[in-house]
Every structure is written in C-alpha cells, then in structure tokens.
C-alpha cells in the first residue's frame, strides 16, 4: 500500500517536471521567437506522450505481471488530460485572446481543430470518473467500457497532429505507429481471450 | 553494544533517504530528456558587417519616398535574434528552432549563380561579381509566412530587375524560375525527401521585374546568415514567405510557368502566385490574421501584405480566389 503511494508520488513529481521547465523558460524569456506557439506545441506534445504511456501500463502488466505498475495508469492519464487542458487554454487565451466566438468559429471550421476537440472532450468523462468511488458507482464493466474512450482520444490526438503538419509527417507517423501497436495489442488480446473462453466452453 | 538488527528509526531514515534519491534522480532524468528536445537557443555566430550599405535617412523627403514606394515600412523591426532563430529552411531542418544550429557551418565560398534561358547575354556570375552590380540598399519589409506568423525584416540587397537587365531578357522570357543548391553533405535536411529537391520557385516576369522584388544578401546591415538563405535569396514582400527561395544557384528565364516546390507538393494548398490574401484561407487554417513575432495576440493580415498600392495593378484582371 505504502509502496503504491510512493510509486504514484514519483510519477506525480516527474509529470510536473516538463511544466515546471516550460514555466521556468517562459519566465526567463527563453521559449524562442514564438513563445505562444512553442508552449502550445509543447503541451500538445506532452499529451501525445502521456496518453500512450497510460495505455502502455495494461499491456506491460499483462506481459510481465508487474502489478506495481497499475497505479501509474490513472496518474499518467490524468496528466495527459491536464496537459491537454493547458494546450487548449493556451490556444484559447494567448493565441485567440479569449475571444469565445472566434475560437468556436475556428474550431468548427478547421478539421484539425474539430478532431483535437473530440480528443479533449473524450478525456473529460475519464478524468471525472477516475476515482475508486466512480468505479464502484458505475460498476467495473461499465467503467471499463467508458474508459475505452481513451483509445478514441489517443487516435484523435495523433490525427490532429498529423493534420496540422505541413510536409514533415515523420513525427506524427511515429506517434501513430505507437498508438497502433498499443491498440493492436488489445485487439489481439481480446481475440485470444475469446478463443480461450470458447474452447473452455466446448471442452466442458 | 552492537545490535544485530538495524534499529527501526535508522531503517526508516535510510529508506526515506533512498526514496528522496529516487524522486530526485528520476526528476533530473525527466528534466534532461525535456532539455534534450527543448534546448534553449543561443546567440550564434555573427556574419560580417556590410561596408557599403545604403540606408535611407529616418526623416525627410527621401524617407517619405522610401515609405511610399514600399521600400521601408514604419513598423517595429523584429529582433535580429528572432529572425535568425525562427527559420523555415527545410534543407537544414524542418524544426524552425533547429535551423540556425544545423546551418551554422554552411560553407558558401566559391558560390556561383547561373543566369540562363531566354536571355541575350546568359552568364554565370561569381557571387562577388554579382554583388558588384549594385550596392546593397536597406529594405525594411513585412514578411508573412503561410503558416500565419509575420516579421518586419531590414533586408539588404538590390532589386532583382538590376540583375535581370544585365542578361538582357528576350521576348520569350515570360517567367523567371529559381533553384536552390542541392548538396546533402552541406544541407543535411536534403537527406530526407520531405520535399523534392532542389527547392524551386518562380515568378511571372512582371513580378520579377517589380522594384519591390529583392535579391537579398544581407540582414540588419550584416551579410546574410546561413539560416536565412546565405549567400543570396529572393524576397517578394507581398507574397507568402515560401516564395522567397534561399541559397540560389540558378535563375532561368523561361516561356512557360515553371514548377514550384510547394504547389508541386500540395497544389490545393499552395498556389503559384501565393499572394498574401486575408480573404482566401489556406484549406486547413485561416489567413485572416497573423501572429507578429514579438507581439501578443494576433493582428489582421493586410491584402498583398500591405503592398496593395504598389502591386495590386499586376493582378487587376485576375481572379485571386482561383489564382491563390
């Protein structure tokens, strides 16, 4: 129990490090020529790193049996949500100058913003139901079904990035490969479990 | 008085100490990874001062003439450090903040520029001879990138028309086609086929001969730094920045509209003309506003980037929505 708390504490501290450095560089005017764009890009990148990391926990746990990894999943997922919120707030506040109608107008008109918004919206119910109490209230099955939205969010995040790049798609493709592997593992795993169940039933 | 078992207090202390170590070590590692990908940019090397730069006076009739011709814009100049550390120059890197470092050692000695095609006197210039055609003038232009950001840049150079007049264009010369150096050893970004190399650009002849169209060899009174297109680049202030081809090695005068890199890459997103136009959006983003580097918020983008008075007549009979 105590070790779990410590492990989670390590993740909490590390997840805050990029934000702390981003703020430190901003304070020292070292975010480059276009600081707003830099901060938007960096927080977006953090979401694209943290969301797959949270999706990595279950496969690694299944392959290795390392149960101590489990508490990382929620912390990483919540951090992904947190950075996605920073990403949106920076866009809305500093790029669009808190102009609600213009921001909404842009978000509806631009496919890459539509896709990005879908990803962010998917994360909201997940963050709201991230407590143990919520699992109890929803029931494990329904909670799990709901939290499959994380897959939609990860795909939306990668597509959003791919759509705004001008020519060099190497980075978004790399993220796409990672997300494909993570989702592919789940599909293979589900198919295998179903096959195992069916062979058990037919054996009985 | 030795205890075979470590006292509980010592044990807990040691554990707390180790845990603090784990937290600190992982945080430092995370920070180091973040720093590796988000380096703090440095000043970088300075290029040589231009000896014979012609700078218009700040006030008086000459200054007024310079402003009405569009040669000088009376807006705050973007800092040198921003102009030299925020570059779209895919031949070196697709990361705007990485170009300065990747281009730092770019060797431009023995540079030649071939002027060929429909000309009475085609010729290959050594860079020094080419620069002797006319002393560099300071031109303070707005620069609007197709990505939605802008700068105000004090270039140094002379009108492209002065070079083209030297080779005496023939009547068949309807367009000027430009080409960047191809040398993956010196331009490491060319090892990846992000775009097809060489980078090529083009102008209609009347655009190429317009006095605002600048052949730039300097910036802020100094020789052009490599990351900004050394030793010689094009600046067409009423068009999106990608028309300003860098590190030019060849200019051909041709009869038909030449291929241009970005419109070849995505014809629906980047046209041949690429005139700055707040009414015609890029398919994926708005062109109505721009982020002026160094300012907060966005400002309205001006038709022809604020040079309508000087260049709108070139396009009077054209549908600018179709010819974007």
């Amino acid at each position: 129990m105590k070790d779990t708390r410590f492990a989670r504490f390590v993740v909490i501290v590390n997840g805050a490090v990029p934000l702390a450095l981003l703020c430190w560089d901003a304070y020292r005017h070292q975010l480059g020529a276009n600081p707003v764009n830099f901060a938007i890009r960096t927080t977006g990148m953090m979401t694209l790193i943290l969301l797959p990391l949270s999706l990595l926990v279950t496969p690694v746990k299944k392959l290795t049996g390392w149960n101590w990894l489990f508490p990382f999943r929620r912390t990483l997922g919540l951090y992904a949500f947190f950075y996605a919120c920073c990403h949106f707030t920076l866009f809305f506040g500093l790029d669009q100058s808190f102009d609600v109608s213009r921001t909404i107008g842009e978000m509806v008109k631009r496919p890459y913003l539509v896709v990005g918004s879908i990803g962010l919206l998917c994360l909201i119910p997940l963050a709201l139901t991230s407590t143990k109490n919520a699992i109890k209230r929803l029931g494990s099955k329904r909670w799990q079904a709901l939290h499959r939205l994380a897959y939609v969010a990860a795909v939306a995040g990668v597509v959003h990035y791919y759509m705004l790049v001008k020519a060099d798609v190497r980075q978004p493709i790399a993220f796409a490969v990672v997300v494909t592997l993570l989702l592919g593992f789940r599909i293979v795993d589900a198919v295998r479990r179903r096959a195992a169940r069916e062979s058990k039933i037919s054996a009985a | 008085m030795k205890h075979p078992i470590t006292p509980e207090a010592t044990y807990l202390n040691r554990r707390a100490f180790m845990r603090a170590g784990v937290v600190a070590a992982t945080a430092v590692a995370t920070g180091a990874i973040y720093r590796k990908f988000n380096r703090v940019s440095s000043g970088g090397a300075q290029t040589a001062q231009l000896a014979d730069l012609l700078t218009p006076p700040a006030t008086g009739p000459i200054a007024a003439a310079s402003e009405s011709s569009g040669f000088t814009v009376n807006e705050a100049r973007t800092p040198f450090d921003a102009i030299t550390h925020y570059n779209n120059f895919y031949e070196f890197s697709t990361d705007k903040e990485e170009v300065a470092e990747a281009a730092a050692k770019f060797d431009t000695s023995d540079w030649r520029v071939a002027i060929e095609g429909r000309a009475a006197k085609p010729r290959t210039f050594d860079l020094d001879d080419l620069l002797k055609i006319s002393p560099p003038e300071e031109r303070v232009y707005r620069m609007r990138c197709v990505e939605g950001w802008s700068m105000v840049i004090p270039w140094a150079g002379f009108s492209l028309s002065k070079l083209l007049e030297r080779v005496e264009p023939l009547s068949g010369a309807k367009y000027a086609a430009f080409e960047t150096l191809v040398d993956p050893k010196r331009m490491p970004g060319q090892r990846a086929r992000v775009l097809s190399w060489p980078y090529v650009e083009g102008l209609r002849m009347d655009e190429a001969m317009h006095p605002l169209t600048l052949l730039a060899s300097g910036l802020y009174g100094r020789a052009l730094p490599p990351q900004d297109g050394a030793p010689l680049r094009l600046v067409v202030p009423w068009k999106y920045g990608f028309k300003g081809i860098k590190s030019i090695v060849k200019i051909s005068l041709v009869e038909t509209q030449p291929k241009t890199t970005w419109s070849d890459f995505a014809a629906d997103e980047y046209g041949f003309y690429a005139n700055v136009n707040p009414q015609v959006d890029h398919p994926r983003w708005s062109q109505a506003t721009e982020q002026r580097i160094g300012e907060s918020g966005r400002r309205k983008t001006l038709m022809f980037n604020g040079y309508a008075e000087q260049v709108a007549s070139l396009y009077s009979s054209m549908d600018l929505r179709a010819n974007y």
Side-chain angles (χ1 to χ4, degrees), chain A residues 2-3 6 9-10 13-15 17-19 21-22 24-25 30-38 41-42 46 94-97 102 106 109-112 162-171, chain B residues 15 19-20 22-23 26-27 30-31 34-35 38 40-41 82 85-86 88 90 94-95 97 145-147 149 151 192 194-195 262 265 269-270 281-286 289 291 293-294 296-298:
Chain A
K2 268 193 171 167
D3 276 319
F6 175 68
F9 179 71
V10 171
V13 169
N14 278 276
V17 166
L19 181 72
L21 285 171
L22 184 66
W24 173 248
D25 288 347
Q30 284 181 323
L31 292 185
N34 197 345
V36 171
N37 192 273
F38 181 90
R41 187 164 34 115
T42 303
M46 287 309 301
L94 297 184
D95 191 67
Q96 302 289 316
S97 307
R102 191 171 71 178
E106 276 294 292
K109 210 166 153 194
R110 311 288 162 202
Y112 82 96
Y162 180 88
M163 285 173 83
L164 69 88
V165 162
K166 249 165 77 197
D168 190 356
V169 293
R170 285 173 291 182
Q171 250 179 22
Chain B
R15 198 165 76 145
R19 286 186 159 189
V22 168
V23 171
T26 55
T30 305
Y34 179 87
R35 260 292 164 261
N38 302 289
V40 177
S41 65
H85 288 88
Y86 198 68
N88 269 323
Y90 284 17
T94 53
D95 181 343
E97 272 122 6
C145 179
V146 74
E147 293 167 1
W149 53 268
M151 294 182 177
V194 176
L195 295 171
W262 278 101
F265 175 79
E269 300 195 339
Y270 313 97
D281 282 346
H282 184 281
R284 288 181 281 156
W285 56 81
S286 166
T289 62
Q291 157 94 57
I293 298 301
S296 61
R298 302 182 75 84

